Coordinates of all heavy atoms in Angstrom, one line a residue:
M2 N -16.5 9.5 -20.0 CA -15.0 9.4 -20.0 C -14.8 8.0 -20.8 O -15.3 7.0 -20.4 CB -14.4 9.3 -18.7 CG -13.0 9.2 -18.7 SD -12.1 9.1 -17.1 CE -12.7 10.5 -16.3
D3 N -13.9 8.1 -21.7 CA -13.5 6.8 -22.5 C -12.3 6.2 -21.8 O -11.2 6.8 -21.8 CB -13.2 7.2 -23.9 CG -12.7 6.0 -24.7 OD1 -13.0 4.9 -24.3 OD2 -12.1 6.2 -25.7
L4 N -12.5 5.1 -21.2 CA -11.4 4.3 -20.5 C -10.9 3.1 -21.3 O -10.1 2.3 -20.8 CB -11.9 3.8 -19.1 CG -12.3 5.0 -18.2 CD1 -12.8 4.4 -16.9 CD2 -11.1 5.9 -17.9
D5 N -11.4 3.0 -22.6 CA -11.0 1.9 -23.3 C -9.5 1.7 -23.5 O -9.0 0.6 -23.4 CB -11.6 1.9 -24.7 CG -13.1 1.6 -24.7 OD1 -13.6 1.0 -23.7 OD2 -13.8 2.0 -25.6
N6 N -8.8 2.7 -23.6 CA -7.3 2.7 -23.8 C -6.6 3.3 -22.6 O -5.3 3.5 -22.7 CB -6.9 3.4 -25.1 CG -7.4 2.7 -26.3 OD1 -7.4 1.5 -26.4 ND2 -8.1 3.4 -27.2
A7 N -7.2 3.5 -21.5 CA -6.6 4.1 -20.4 C -6.0 3.1 -19.4 O -6.5 1.9 -19.4 CB -7.6 4.9 -19.6
V8 N -5.0 3.5 -18.7 CA -4.4 2.6 -17.7 C -5.1 3.1 -16.4 O -5.0 4.3 -16.0 CB -2.9 2.8 -17.6 CG1 -2.4 2.0 -16.4 CG2 -2.2 2.3 -18.9
V9 N -5.9 2.3 -15.8 CA -6.6 2.6 -14.6 C -6.1 1.8 -13.5 O -6.3 0.6 -13.4 CB -8.1 2.5 -14.8 CG1 -8.9 2.9 -13.5 CG2 -8.6 3.2 -16.0
P10 N -5.5 2.4 -12.5 CA -4.9 1.6 -11.4 C -6.1 1.1 -10.5 O -7.2 1.7 -10.4 CB -4.1 2.6 -10.5 CG -4.7 3.9 -10.9 CD -5.2 3.8 -12.3
I11 N -5.8 0.0 -9.8 CA -6.9 -0.6 -8.9 C -6.4 -0.4 -7.4 O -7.2 -0.6 -6.5 CB -7.2 -2.0 -9.2 CG1 -6.0 -2.9 -9.2 CG2 -7.9 -2.1 -10.5 CD1 -6.3 -4.4 -9.2
R12 N -5.1 0.0 -7.2 CA -4.6 0.2 -5.9 C -3.8 1.5 -5.8 O -3.2 1.8 -6.8 CB -3.7 -0.9 -5.4 CG -4.1 -2.4 -5.6 CD -5.2 -2.9 -4.6 NE -4.9 -2.7 -3.2 CZ -5.8 -2.8 -2.3 NH1 -7.0 -3.1 -2.5 NH2 -5.5 -2.7 -1.0
Y13 N -3.9 2.2 -4.7 CA -3.2 3.4 -4.5 C -2.2 3.3 -3.4 O -2.6 2.9 -2.2 CB -4.1 4.5 -4.2 CG -3.5 5.9 -4.0 CD1 -3.2 6.6 -5.1 CD2 -3.2 6.3 -2.7 CE1 -2.5 7.8 -5.0 CE2 -2.6 7.6 -2.6 CZ -2.2 8.3 -3.7 OH -1.6 9.5 -3.6
P14 N -0.9 3.3 -3.7 CA 0.1 3.1 -2.6 C 0.3 4.3 -1.7 O 0.2 5.5 -2.1 CB 1.4 2.9 -3.3 CG 1.2 3.6 -4.6 CD -0.3 3.6 -4.9
I15 N 0.4 4.1 -0.3 CA 0.8 5.1 0.6 C 2.0 4.6 1.3 O 2.0 3.5 1.9 CB -0.4 5.4 1.6 CG1 -1.6 5.8 0.8 CG2 0.0 6.4 2.7 CD1 -2.9 5.9 1.7
I16 N 3.0 5.5 1.5 CA 4.2 5.1 2.2 C 4.3 5.9 3.4 O 4.3 7.2 3.3 CB 5.5 5.3 1.3 CG1 5.4 4.4 0.1 CG2 6.7 4.9 2.2 CD1 6.6 4.6 -0.9
F17 N 4.1 5.2 4.6 CA 4.2 5.9 5.9 C 5.6 6.1 6.3 O 6.5 5.5 5.8 CB 3.4 5.0 6.9 CG 2.0 5.1 6.6 CD1 1.4 4.1 5.8 CD2 1.1 6.0 7.2 CE1 0.0 4.2 5.6 CE2 -0.3 6.0 7.0 CZ -0.8 5.1 6.2
S18 N 5.8 6.9 7.3 CA 7.2 7.2 7.8 C 7.7 6.1 8.5 O 9.0 5.9 8.5 CB 7.1 8.5 8.7 OG 6.7 9.7 8.0
T19 N 6.9 5.3 9.2 CA 7.4 4.1 10.0 C 6.4 3.0 9.7 O 5.3 3.1 9.3 CB 7.4 4.4 11.5 OG1 6.0 4.6 11.9 CG2 8.2 5.7 11.8
S20 N 7.0 1.8 10.0 CA 6.1 0.6 9.9 C 5.0 0.5 11.0 O 4.0 0.0 10.7 CB 7.0 -0.7 9.9 OG 7.7 -0.8 11.2
E21 N 5.3 1.2 12.1 CA 4.3 1.3 13.2 C 3.1 2.0 12.7 O 2.0 1.7 12.9 CB 4.9 1.8 14.5 CG 5.9 1.0 15.1 CD 7.3 1.0 14.5 OE1 7.6 1.9 13.7 OE2 8.2 0.1 14.9
Q22 N 3.4 3.2 12.1 CA 2.3 4.0 11.5 C 1.5 3.2 10.5 O 0.2 3.2 10.5 CB 2.8 5.3 10.8 CG 3.0 6.4 11.7 CD 3.4 7.6 10.8 OE1 4.1 7.5 9.7 NE2 3.2 8.8 11.3
R23 N 2.2 2.5 9.6 CA 1.5 1.7 8.5 C 0.7 0.6 9.3 O -0.5 0.4 8.8 CB 2.6 1.0 7.7 CG 2.1 0.3 6.4 CD 1.9 -1.2 6.5 NE 2.7 -2.0 7.3 CZ 3.7 -2.8 6.8 NH1 3.9 -2.8 5.5 NH2 4.4 -3.5 7.6
D24 N 1.2 0.0 10.3 CA 0.5 -1.1 10.9 C -0.8 -0.6 11.6 O -1.9 -1.2 11.5 CB 1.3 -1.9 11.9 CG 2.4 -2.7 11.2 OD1 2.4 -2.8 10.0 OD2 3.4 -3.0 12.0
V25 N -0.7 0.6 12.2 CA -1.9 1.2 12.9 C -2.9 1.5 11.9 O -4.1 1.3 12.0 CB -1.5 2.4 13.8 CG1 -2.7 3.2 14.3 CG2 -0.6 2.0 15.0
A26 N -2.5 2.2 10.8 CA -3.4 2.6 9.7 C -4.1 1.4 9.1 O -5.3 1.4 8.9 CB -2.6 3.3 8.6
F27 N -3.3 0.2 8.8 CA -3.9 -0.9 8.3 C -5.0 -1.5 9.2 O -6.0 -1.8 8.7 CB -2.8 -2.0 8.1 CG -3.3 -3.3 7.7 CD1 -3.8 -3.5 6.4 CD2 -3.3 -4.4 8.5 CE1 -4.3 -4.8 5.9 CE2 -3.8 -5.6 8.1 CZ -4.3 -5.8 6.8
K28 N -4.7 -1.5 10.5 CA -5.7 -2.0 11.4 C -7.0 -1.2 11.4 O -8.1 -1.7 11.4 CB -5.2 -2.1 12.8 CG -4.2 -3.3 13.0 CD -3.5 -3.3 14.4 CE -2.5 -4.4 14.5 NZ -1.7 -4.3 15.6
L29 N -6.8 0.1 11.5 CA -8.0 1.0 11.5 C -8.8 0.9 10.1 O -10.0 0.8 10.2 CB -7.6 2.5 11.6 CG -7.3 3.0 12.9 CD1 -6.7 4.4 12.9 CD2 -8.6 3.1 13.7
L30 N -8.1 0.9 9.0 CA -8.8 0.9 7.7 C -9.5 -0.5 7.6 O -10.6 -0.6 7.1 CB -7.8 1.0 6.6 CG -7.2 2.5 6.5 CD1 -5.9 2.5 5.7 CD2 -8.2 3.5 5.9
S31 N -8.8 -1.6 8.0 CA -9.4 -2.9 7.9 C -10.6 -3.1 8.8 O -11.7 -3.6 8.4 CB -8.4 -4.0 8.3 OG -7.3 -4.0 7.4
K32 N -10.5 -2.5 10.0 CA -11.7 -2.5 11.0 C -13.0 -1.9 10.3 O -14.0 -2.2 10.5 CB -11.3 -1.7 12.2 CG -12.4 -1.7 13.3 CD -11.9 -0.9 14.5 CE -13.1 -0.7 15.5 NZ -12.6 0.1 16.6
H33 N -12.7 -0.9 9.4 CA -13.8 -0.2 8.8 C -14.1 -0.8 7.3 O -14.9 -0.2 6.6 CB -13.5 1.3 8.7 CG -13.7 2.0 10.0 ND1 -12.6 2.0 10.9 CD2 -14.7 2.6 10.6 CE1 -13.0 2.7 12.0 NE2 -14.2 3.1 11.8
G34 N -13.5 -1.9 7.1 CA -13.7 -2.5 5.8 C -13.4 -1.8 4.6 O -14.0 -1.9 3.5
L35 N -12.3 -1.0 4.6 CA -11.9 -0.2 3.5 C -10.9 -0.9 2.5 O -10.4 -0.2 1.7 CB -11.4 1.2 4.0 CG -12.5 2.0 4.7 CD1 -12.0 3.1 5.4 CD2 -13.6 2.3 3.7
G36 N -10.6 -2.1 2.7 CA -9.8 -2.8 1.7 C -8.4 -2.5 1.7 O -7.7 -2.8 0.7
A37 N -7.8 -2.0 2.8 CA -6.3 -1.7 2.8 C -5.6 -3.0 2.8 O -6.1 -4.1 3.3 CB -6.0 -1.0 4.2
S38 N -4.5 -3.0 2.2 CA -3.6 -4.3 2.2 C -2.1 -3.9 2.4 O -1.7 -2.8 2.0 CB -3.7 -5.0 0.9 OG -3.2 -4.4 -0.2
V39 N -1.4 -4.7 3.0 CA 0.1 -4.6 3.1 C 0.6 -5.5 2.0 O 0.8 -6.6 2.1 CB 0.5 -5.1 4.5 CG1 2.0 -5.1 4.5 CG2 -0.1 -4.4 5.6
S40 N 0.7 -4.8 0.8 CA 1.0 -5.5 -0.4 C 2.4 -6.2 -0.5 O 2.5 -7.2 -1.2 CB 0.9 -4.5 -1.6 OG -0.4 -4.1 -1.7
Y41 N 3.3 -5.7 0.2 CA 4.7 -6.2 0.2 C 5.2 -6.5 1.5 O 5.8 -5.7 2.2 CB 5.6 -5.1 -0.5 CG 5.1 -4.7 -1.9 CD1 4.3 -3.5 -2.0 CD2 5.3 -5.5 -3.0 CE1 3.8 -3.2 -3.3 CE2 4.7 -5.2 -4.2 CZ 4.0 -4.0 -4.3 OH 3.5 -3.7 -5.6
P42 N 4.8 -7.7 2.0 CA 5.3 -8.1 3.3 C 6.8 -8.2 3.4 O 7.5 -8.1 4.5 CB 4.6 -9.3 3.7 CG 4.1 -9.8 2.4 CD 4.0 -8.7 1.5
L43 N 7.4 -8.5 2.3 CA 8.9 -8.5 2.2 C 9.3 -7.6 1.0 O 8.5 -7.4 0.1 CB 9.4 -10.0 1.8 CG 9.1 -11.1 2.8 CD1 9.6 -12.4 2.2 CD2 9.9 -10.7 4.1
A44 N 10.5 -7.2 1.0 CA 11.0 -6.5 -0.2 C 11.1 -7.5 -1.3 O 11.4 -8.7 -1.0 CB 12.5 -5.9 0.1
V45 N 10.9 -7.2 -2.5 CA 10.9 -8.1 -3.6 C 12.3 -8.9 -3.6 O 12.3 -10.1 -3.9 CB 10.7 -7.4 -5.0 CG1 11.0 -8.3 -6.1 CG2 9.4 -6.8 -5.0
T46 N 13.3 -8.2 -3.3 CA 14.6 -8.8 -3.2 C 14.8 -9.8 -2.2 O 15.8 -10.6 -2.2 CB 15.7 -7.7 -3.1 OG1 15.4 -7.0 -1.8 CG2 15.7 -6.8 -4.2
D47 N 13.9 -10.0 -1.2 CA 14.0 -11.0 -0.1 C 13.2 -12.2 -0.3 O 13.2 -13.1 0.5 CB 13.6 -10.3 1.2 CG 14.6 -9.3 1.7 OD1 15.8 -9.4 1.3 OD2 14.2 -8.4 2.4
Y48 N 12.6 -12.3 -1.5 CA 11.8 -13.5 -1.8 C 12.8 -14.6 -2.2 O 13.8 -14.3 -3.0 CB 10.7 -13.3 -2.9 CG 9.5 -12.6 -2.3 CD1 9.5 -11.2 -2.2 CD2 8.5 -13.3 -1.7 CE1 8.3 -10.6 -1.7 CE2 7.4 -12.7 -1.1 CZ 7.4 -11.3 -1.2 OH 6.2 -10.8 -0.7
P49 N 12.6 -15.8 -1.8 CA 13.6 -16.9 -2.1 C 13.7 -17.1 -3.6 O 14.8 -17.6 -4.0 CB 12.9 -18.2 -1.5 CG 11.8 -17.7 -0.6 CD 11.5 -16.3 -1.0
E50 N 12.8 -16.8 -4.4 CA 12.8 -17.0 -5.9 C 14.0 -16.1 -6.5 O 14.4 -16.4 -7.5 CB 11.5 -16.6 -6.5 CG 10.4 -17.5 -6.2 CD 9.7 -17.2 -4.9 OE1 10.1 -16.2 -4.2 OE2 8.8 -18.0 -4.4
F51 N 14.4 -15.1 -5.9 CA 15.5 -14.3 -6.3 C 16.8 -14.7 -5.8 O 17.9 -14.2 -6.3 CB 15.3 -12.8 -5.9 CG 14.2 -12.1 -6.7 CD1 12.9 -12.0 -6.2 CD2 14.4 -11.6 -8.0 CE1 11.8 -11.4 -6.9 CE2 13.4 -11.0 -8.6 CZ 12.1 -10.9 -8.1
E52 N 16.9 -15.6 -4.8 CA 18.2 -16.0 -4.3 C 19.0 -16.7 -5.4 O 18.6 -17.5 -6.2 CB 17.9 -17.0 -3.2 CG 19.2 -17.4 -2.4 CD 18.8 -18.2 -1.1 OE1 17.7 -18.1 -0.6 OE2 19.6 -19.2 -0.9
G53 N 20.2 -16.2 -5.4 CA 21.2 -16.8 -6.4 C 21.2 -16.2 -7.7 O 22.1 -16.5 -8.6
L54 N 20.2 -15.2 -8.0 CA 20.2 -14.5 -9.2 C 21.2 -13.4 -9.1 O 21.3 -12.7 -8.2 CB 18.9 -14.0 -9.6 CG 17.7 -15.0 -9.8 CD1 16.5 -14.4 -10.1 CD2 18.1 -16.0 -11.0
D55 N 21.9 -13.2 -10.2 CA 23.0 -12.2 -10.2 C 22.4 -10.8 -10.8 O 23.0 -10.2 -11.7 CB 24.1 -12.6 -11.1 CG 25.4 -11.7 -10.9 OD1 25.5 -11.0 -9.8 OD2 26.2 -11.5 -11.7
I56 N 21.2 -10.5 -10.2 CA 20.7 -9.2 -10.6 C 20.5 -8.2 -9.5 O 20.2 -7.1 -9.7 CB 19.2 -9.4 -11.2 CG1 18.3 -10.1 -10.2 CG2 19.4 -10.2 -12.5 CD1 16.9 -10.1 -10.6
L57 N 20.8 -8.6 -8.3 CA 20.7 -7.8 -7.2 C 22.1 -7.5 -6.5 O 22.9 -8.4 -6.3 CB 19.8 -8.5 -6.0 CG 18.5 -9.1 -6.5 CD1 17.9 -9.9 -5.5 CD2 17.6 -7.9 -7.0
H58 N 22.3 -6.2 -6.3 CA 23.5 -5.8 -5.9 C 23.4 -4.7 -4.7 O 22.5 -3.9 -4.7 CB 24.4 -5.2 -7.0 CG 24.5 -6.1 -8.1 ND1 25.4 -7.2 -8.2 CD2 23.9 -6.1 -9.3 CE1 25.3 -7.8 -9.3 NE2 24.4 -7.2 -10.0
G59 N 24.3 -4.7 -3.7 CA 24.2 -3.8 -2.6 C 23.3 -4.4 -1.5 O 22.8 -5.5 -1.6
D60 N 23.1 -3.6 -0.5 CA 22.3 -4.0 0.6 C 20.8 -3.8 0.4 O 20.0 -4.3 1.2 CB 22.8 -3.3 1.9 CG 22.6 -1.8 1.9 OD1 22.0 -1.3 1.0 OD2 23.0 -1.2 2.9
L61 N 20.4 -3.0 -0.6 CA 19.0 -2.8 -0.9 C 18.1 -2.4 0.2 O 17.0 -2.8 0.3 CB 18.5 -4.1 -1.5 CG 19.4 -4.7 -2.7 CD1 19.0 -6.0 -3.0 CD2 19.2 -3.8 -3.9
K62 N 18.8 -1.6 1.1 CA 18.0 -1.2 2.4 C 16.8 -0.3 1.9 O 15.8 -0.3 2.7 CB 18.9 -0.4 3.2 CG 19.4 0.9 2.7 CD 20.4 1.6 3.7 CE 20.9 2.9 3.1 NZ 21.8 3.5 4.0
N63 N 16.8 0.4 0.9 CA 15.6 1.3 0.5 C 14.5 0.3 0.1 O 13.3 0.7 0.4 CB 16.0 2.2 -0.6 CG 16.9 3.3 -0.2 OD1 17.0 3.6 1.0 ND2 17.7 3.9 -1.1
S64 N 14.7 -0.8 -0.6 CA 13.6 -1.6 -1.0 C 13.0 -2.2 0.3 O 11.8 -2.4 0.4 CB 14.0 -2.7 -1.9 OG 15.0 -3.5 -1.4
R65 N 13.8 -2.5 1.3 CA 13.3 -3.1 2.5 C 12.5 -2.1 3.3 O 11.5 -2.3 3.9 CB 14.4 -3.7 3.4 CG 15.0 -5.0 2.7 CD 16.1 -5.6 3.6 NE 16.6 -6.7 2.8 CZ 17.7 -6.8 2.1 NH1 18.4 -5.7 2.0 NH2 18.0 -7.9 1.5
A66 N 13.0 -0.8 3.3 CA 12.3 0.3 4.0 C 11.0 0.5 3.4 O 10.0 0.7 4.2 CB 13.2 1.5 4.0
V67 N 10.8 0.5 2.1 CA 9.5 0.8 1.4 C 8.6 -0.4 1.8 O 7.4 -0.2 2.1 CB 9.7 1.0 -0.1 CG1 8.3 0.9 -0.8 CG2 10.4 2.2 -0.3
A68 N 9.1 -1.7 1.7 CA 8.3 -2.8 1.9 C 7.7 -2.8 3.4 O 6.5 -3.1 3.6 CB 9.1 -4.1 1.8
A69 N 8.4 -2.2 4.3 CA 8.0 -2.1 5.8 C 7.0 -1.1 6.0 O 6.3 -1.1 7.0 CB 9.3 -1.9 6.7
C70 N 6.9 -0.1 5.1 CA 6.1 1.1 5.3 C 5.0 1.3 4.4 O 4.2 2.3 4.5 CB 7.0 2.3 5.3 SG 8.2 2.3 6.7
I71 N 4.8 0.5 3.3 CA 3.9 0.7 2.3 C 2.5 0.0 2.6 O 2.5 -1.1 3.2 CB 4.4 0.3 0.9 CG1 3.5 0.8 -0.2 CG2 4.5 -1.2 0.8 CD1 4.1 0.7 -1.6
L72 N 1.4 0.6 2.3 CA 0.1 0.2 2.4 C -0.6 0.5 1.1 O -0.3 1.6 0.6 CB -0.5 0.8 3.6 CG -2.0 0.5 3.9 CD1 -2.2 0.4 5.4 CD2 -2.9 1.7 3.4
T73 N -1.5 -0.2 0.6 CA -2.2 0.2 -0.6 C -3.7 0.2 -0.3 O -4.3 -0.6 0.5 CB -2.0 -0.7 -1.8 OG1 -2.5 -2.0 -1.5 CG2 -0.5 -0.7 -2.1
L74 N -4.4 1.1 -1.0 CA -5.9 1.2 -0.8 C -6.5 0.9 -2.2 O -6.0 1.3 -3.3 CB -6.3 2.7 -0.4 CG -5.9 3.0 1.0 CD1 -6.1 4.5 1.2 CD2 -6.5 2.2 2.0
P75 N -7.7 0.4 -2.2 CA -8.4 0.2 -3.5 C -8.9 1.5 -4.1 O -9.2 2.4 -3.4 CB -9.6 -0.7 -3.1 CG -9.8 -0.5 -1.7 CD -8.5 -0.1 -1.1
V76 N -8.8 1.6 -5.4 CA -9.3 2.8 -6.1 C -10.1 2.4 -7.3 O -10.3 3.1 -8.2 CB -8.2 3.8 -6.5 CG1 -7.5 4.4 -5.3 CG2 -7.1 3.1 -7.4
H77 N -10.6 1.2 -7.3 CA -11.4 0.7 -8.4 C -12.8 1.3 -8.4 O -13.1 2.2 -7.5 CB -11.6 -0.9 -8.3 CG -12.1 -1.4 -7.0 ND1 -13.4 -1.2 -6.6 CD2 -11.5 -2.0 -6.1 CE1 -13.6 -1.8 -5.5 NE2 -12.3 -2.2 -5.0
M78 N -13.5 1.0 -9.4 CA -14.9 1.7 -9.7 C -15.9 1.5 -8.6 O -16.9 2.3 -8.5 CB -15.4 1.4 -11.0 CG -15.8 -0.1 -11.1 SD -16.1 -0.5 -12.9 CE -17.8 -0.9 -12.8
H79 N -15.7 0.5 -7.7 CA -16.7 0.3 -6.6 C -16.4 1.0 -5.3 O -17.1 1.0 -4.3 CB -16.8 -1.2 -6.3 CG -17.3 -1.9 -7.6 ND1 -18.6 -1.7 -8.1 CD2 -16.7 -2.8 -8.4 CE1 -18.7 -2.5 -9.2 NE2 -17.5 -3.2 -9.4
V80 N -15.3 1.7 -5.3 CA -14.9 2.6 -4.1 C -15.8 3.9 -4.2 O -15.7 4.6 -5.2 CB -13.5 2.9 -4.1 CG1 -13.1 3.8 -2.9 CG2 -12.6 1.6 -4.0
T81 N -16.5 4.1 -3.1 CA -17.3 5.3 -3.1 C -16.6 6.6 -2.6 O -15.5 6.4 -2.0 CB -18.5 5.1 -2.2 OG1 -18.1 5.0 -0.8 CG2 -19.3 3.8 -2.6
K82 N -17.2 7.7 -2.8 CA -16.7 8.9 -2.2 C -16.7 8.9 -0.7 O -15.7 9.3 -0.1 CB -17.6 10.1 -2.6 CG -17.3 10.5 -4.1 CD -18.1 11.7 -4.5 CE -17.9 12.1 -5.9 NZ -18.7 13.3 -6.4
Q83 N -17.7 8.2 -0.1 CA -17.7 8.0 1.3 C -16.5 7.2 1.8 O -15.9 7.4 2.8 CB -19.0 7.4 1.8 CG -20.2 8.3 1.6 CD -20.7 8.3 0.1 OE1 -20.4 7.5 -0.7 NE2 -21.7 9.1 -0.1
D84 N -16.2 6.1 1.0 CA -15.1 5.3 1.4 C -13.7 6.1 1.4 O -12.9 6.0 2.3 CB -14.9 4.1 0.4 CG -15.9 3.1 0.4 OD1 -16.7 3.0 1.5 OD2 -16.2 2.5 -0.6
I85 N -13.6 6.9 0.4 CA -12.4 7.7 0.2 C -12.3 8.7 1.4 O -11.2 8.9 2.0 CB -12.3 8.5 -1.1 CG1 -12.3 7.4 -2.3 CG2 -11.3 9.5 -1.2 CD1 -12.6 8.0 -3.7
F86 N -13.3 9.3 1.8 CA -13.4 10.4 2.7 C -13.1 9.7 4.1 O -12.3 10.2 4.9 CB -14.6 11.1 2.9 CG -14.7 12.2 3.9 CD1 -13.8 13.3 3.7 CD2 -15.4 12.1 5.0 CE1 -13.8 14.4 4.6 CE2 -15.4 13.2 6.0 CZ -14.6 14.3 5.8
K87 N -13.7 8.5 4.4 CA -13.5 7.7 5.6 C -11.9 7.4 5.7 O -11.4 7.4 6.8 CB -14.4 6.6 5.7 CG -14.3 5.8 7.0 CD -14.7 6.7 8.2 CE -14.7 6.0 9.5 NZ -15.1 6.9 10.6
A88 N -11.4 6.8 4.6 CA -10.0 6.4 4.6 C -9.1 7.6 4.9 O -8.2 7.6 5.7 CB -9.6 5.8 3.3
Y89 N -9.4 8.8 4.3 CA -8.7 10.0 4.5 C -8.7 10.4 6.0 O -7.7 10.7 6.6 CB -9.3 11.1 3.7 CG -8.9 12.6 4.1 CD1 -7.6 12.9 3.9 CD2 -9.8 13.3 4.8 CE1 -7.2 14.3 4.3 CE2 -9.3 14.6 5.3 CZ -8.0 15.0 5.0 OH -7.7 16.3 5.4
Q90 N -9.9 10.3 6.6 CA -10.1 10.7 8.0 C -9.2 9.7 8.9 O -8.5 10.2 9.8 CB -11.5 10.6 8.4 CG -12.4 11.7 7.9 CD -13.8 11.5 8.3 OE1 -14.4 10.4 8.3 NE2 -14.4 12.6 8.8
L91 N -9.2 8.4 8.6 CA -8.5 7.4 9.4 C -7.1 7.6 9.3 O -6.3 7.6 10.3 CB -8.9 6.1 9.1 CG -10.4 5.7 9.4 CD1 -10.8 4.4 8.8 CD2 -10.7 5.7 11.0
I92 N -6.5 7.9 8.1 CA -5.1 8.0 7.9 C -4.7 9.2 8.5 O -3.6 9.4 9.2 CB -4.8 8.0 6.3 CG1 -5.0 6.6 5.8 CG2 -3.4 8.5 6.1 CD1 -5.1 6.5 4.3
K93 N -5.4 10.3 8.5 CA -5.1 11.6 9.1 C -4.9 11.5 10.6 O -4.0 12.0 11.2 CB -6.2 12.6 8.8 CG -5.8 14.0 9.1 CD -6.9 14.9 8.5 CE -7.0 16.2 9.4 NZ -8.1 17.0 9.0
Q94 N -5.7 10.6 11.2 CA -5.6 10.2 12.7 C -4.2 9.6 13.0 O -3.6 9.9 14.0 CB -6.7 9.3 13.1 CG -8.0 9.8 13.2 CD -9.0 8.7 13.7 OE1 -8.6 7.8 14.3 NE2 -10.2 8.9 13.3
V95 N -3.8 8.8 12.1 CA -2.5 8.1 12.3 C -1.3 9.0 12.2 O -0.3 8.9 12.8 CB -2.4 6.9 11.4 CG1 -1.0 6.2 11.5 CG2 -3.5 5.9 11.6
L96 N -1.5 9.9 11.2 CA -0.3 10.9 11.0 C -0.3 11.9 12.0 O 0.6 12.6 12.3 CB -0.5 11.5 9.6 CG -0.5 10.5 8.4 CD1 -0.7 11.1 7.1 CD2 0.9 9.7 8.4

């Protein structure tokens, strides 16, 4: 496969129904060394760097909801099929 001009992601996002589910999944995946991360501890709009900028309008509740429920998994070339299957099994337990 020629990947010279391909866009290859290194993280795969999963949005859980609740932040509690996300937190349980994160703990399980981390316990097994599967590289899960809570990539967005805050909504982008809640970072102080955006304060005062006139680019954000409304209550932005959806961005906060996604930030509270998103977890990402690595999908780079060093992730094995066994890693993927284990992550699947653990996430399935949470759901």
Side-chain angles (χ1 to χ4, degrees):
M2 180 185 304
D3 178 20
L4 297 178
D5 289 339
N6 296 312
V8 175
V9 180
I11 58 170
R12 309 284 309 165
Y13 182 81
I15 300 171
I16 300 175
F17 289 87
S18 297
T19 67
S20 59
E21 291 79 14
Q22 277 185 330
R23 189 266 321 257
D24 294 345
V25 170
F27 175 71
K28 287 177 186 172
L29 274 173
L30 293 161
S31 296
K32 179 180 174 183
H33 288 86
L35 294 171
S38 69
V39 177
S40 297
Y41 304 98
L43 297 174
V45 172
T46 55
D47 290 334
Y48 283 91
E50 293 81 5
F51 286 95
E52 191 175 320
L54 295 178
D55 191 28
I56 58 171
L57 309 173
H58 305 284
D60 66 7
L61 307 165
K62 65 181 179 182
N63 291 335
S64 64
R65 290 185 182 97
V67 169
C70 296
I71 194 168
L72 174 141
T73 64
L74 294 173
V76 292
H77 53 72
M78 62 191 246
H79 299 292
V80 176
T81 67
K82 287 181 182 179
Q83 291 83 5
D84 293 335
I85 295 167
F86 186 70
K87 186 64 177 178
Y89 164 76
Q90 289 178 314
L91 294 170
I92 291 167
K93 195 170 145 185
Q94 286 179 27
V95 174
L96 301 176

